[in-house]
Amino acid sequence: MNFVQDLSFVHMIQNASVLVQLVMGLLLLVSLMSWWYIFLKMFAVRLAVRQSEEFEELFWSQSDLNRLYQNSNVSSGETGSMARIFAAGFAEFAKLKKRPGMDNSAVMGGVRRAMRATYQREMDNLESHLSFLATVGSVSPYVGLLGTVWGIMNAFRGLANVGQATLAHVAPGIAEALVATAMGLFAAIPAVVAYNRYAYDITRLSSRFESFMEEFSNVLQRQP
Amino acid sequence: MSTLAYSYSEPYKLPAGVLALVVHGALFALLYFGVNWHNDQQQGMVVDIWDSLPAMRAEPAKVELPPPIQQAEPPKPVEPLKQAELAEPPKADIELAVKKKPKVKLPEPKPAVEVKKPPAQLKPAVAKISEADRVLQAAQAEQDRARAAQAAATEKIVDEYVSRIEAKIKRMVVEPPDVLESMQAEFDVILIPDGSVLSTRLTKPSGNAAYDEAVARAIVKAQLLPLPPDTSLFNRFRELHLTIRPKKKE
């Protein structure tokens, strides 16, 4: 008897049982999607940070809010979240100012609510898919583990039919099964890292937005 | 608020997708090329210790060896010949001079006889023939000597390999308990050029059937048997007579 096993990576996947292969396929899909979202979020967060910086610079350098509103409103798609919050607040302010008999605190309340609504929407957009990354990070190791446990069960069941059990009978099966765990971890680790990283970035952005909202409210309150 | 109504779509969808694919491609390539768990069954290493090794052993390619050696062999007899020729001429000259002396003396006493002149002319020719003979003989002797030396060298190699084969077989023998050191089993073994055993025949039993059987099994187990790399020597190994003795007991 000659146990010359060629345990190449592809070979191991090919030899695995159906359920293990299914688990591997699922993990591959999940991994692909999580990497896609990782890159999407990377670009989105970077863009949001850059646009916020640009808009803050513009906001503090420009004294004429009307001109700024025209600017930010015309290209509302490309100026970023902070510009949209500003536009929502300023539009509400302009509308309420035109109404007769509105006292200042009522105007400011309306402006705040408008800005808050836009802010919520922006945060929602920025945080979209982050929950997917969190889920992948926490669940895919378990999915991989399921595949591994199943594969090892099969390996041991095969051992029952052999009279003289040696490690050579079980080892390839276990190795194949462990590929599932490896894939689960491959999917999970980047997802967890990315989730933590983006959650931190987005929290910073949100605090930045909030402080901008406060500052902008003050500026509007000073408006005649 | 209507100005702010928009449907959100993430920027850079396509580049992100391409990058995700690239990451997976890279990962897969890394695993495919970088990770290859080979499970080659390690064969037990056998180490022979010999106090003298034939020089030819160093050459690894067995198949390519024979032609150069066969080509190299013919010149060898020629070389001694050349040496003989180089060495002979002075001798021949001296001999010629010695032979000429009587020849010079001969014509003086009998100048009148004209008939005898041809023999005088013949004599150098005869001398020349005998001289050529001698050269040839010397060359022959040289050749014989070279051949003998070569034969001795071949014999040495053959002996060495035969004892090597015997040692390898001896190592493989699982000796039954009641074996005496004085026993010896003789086998006729037919080999094929790669060193595997075609057939074995017990020619002289050791007196212990169990031992004979163990040796016969060991011969099969010991293949491929070590053969000299010079395949022209294989004819000496085709039918081999082996004498296997039990291992020395401490």
Side-chain angles (χ1 to χ4, degrees), chain A residues 151-178:
Chain A
I152 290 179
M153 271 161 64
N154 272 355
F156 279 120
R157 219 178 50 200
L159 195 64
N161 302 328
V162 185
Q164 198 177 20
T166 62
L167 201 58
H169 287 108
V170 237
I174 292 177
E176 278 156 27
L178 284 172

Side-chain angles (χ1 to χ4, degrees), chain B residues 83-120:
Chain B
Q83 280 176 345
E85 276 175 343
L86 276 172
E88 269 338 281
K91 267 190 209 167
D93 275 353
I94 293 161
E95 278 169 329
L96 258 178
V98 172
K99 285 212 173 139
K100 265 176 191 167
K101 269 176 192 170
K103 190 185 77 186
V104 174
K105 281 173 189 171
L106 267 172
E108 272 180 89
K110 293 163 188 176
V113 190
E114 283 178 325
V115 194
K116 279 199 175 175
K117 265 187 181 172

Side-chain angles (χ1 to χ4, degrees), chain A residues 55-180:
Chain A
F55 182 78
E56 266 187 329
E57 208 170 303
L58 196 69
F59 179 81
W60 292 114
S61 62
Q62 195 124 17
S63 53
D64 190 354
L65 287 178
N66 245 322
R67 275 250 301 278
L68 189 63
Y69 175 66
Q70 297 297 332
N71 263 347
S72 68
N73 213 17
V74 165
S75 50
S76 75
E78 279 111 61
T79 42
S81 309
M82 205 179 257
R84 282 192 286 270
I85 291 169
F86 162 79
F90 193 78
E92 190 65 22
F93 178 75
K95 272 183 207 161
L96 289 177
K97 269 285 170 187
K98 277 182 208 153
R99 293 255 178 102
M102 292 290 279
D103 69 336
N104 209 15
S105 65
V107 171
M108 282 325 292
V111 167
R112 269 171 192 277
R113 277 193 298 278
M115 284 201 294
R116 174 78 35 195
T118 311
Y119 163 78
Q120 294 290 2
R121 198 175 297 126
E122 292 299 327
M123 288 317 293
D124 186 47
N125 286 341
L126 275 176
E127 279 170 356
S128 66
H129 307 313
L130 265 194
S131 65
F132 179 83
L133 288 183
T135 312
V136 168
S138 54
V139 168
S140 67
Y142 295 121
V143 177
L145 202 61
L146 172 71
T148 296
V149 168
W150 190 264
I152 290 179
M153 271 161 64
N154 272 355
F156 279 120
R157 219 178 50 200
L159 195 64
N161 302 328
V162 185
Q164 198 177 20
T166 62
L167 201 58
H169 287 108
V170 237
I174 292 177
E176 278 156 27
L178 284 172
V179 172

Side-chain angles (χ1 to χ4, degrees), chain B residues 45-67:
Chain B
M45 193 179 278
V46 178
V47 180
D48 288 5
I49 299 174
W50 292 86
D51 41 4
S52 68
L53 276 179
M56 278 180 275
R57 248 223 136 186
E59 275 147 335
K62 283 185 181 179
V63 192
E64 286 168 41
L65 249 170

Side-chain angles (χ1 to χ4, degrees), chain A residues 108 112 115-116 207-222:
Chain A
M108 282 325 292
R112 269 171 192 277
M115 284 201 294
R116 174 78 35 195
S207 67
R208 203 162 168 177
F209 290 165
E210 275 183 38
S211 51
F212 169 78
M213 275 155 61
E214 299 301 317
E215 283 163 346
F216 182 47
S217 301
N218 282 341
V219 171
L220 281 181
Q221 211 153 18
R222 274 185 265 127

Side-chain angles (χ1 to χ4, degrees), chain B residues 22 26 29 42 46 64 71 119-120 124 133 148 160 168-169 183 222-223 240 249:
Chain B
V22 165
Q42 289 285 317
V46 178
E64 286 168 41
Q71 281 172 349
D133 254 2
E160 205 163 281
K168 190 173 182 189
I169 292 169
M183 285 177 175
Q223 47 186 335
L240 213 56
K249 293 193 179 112

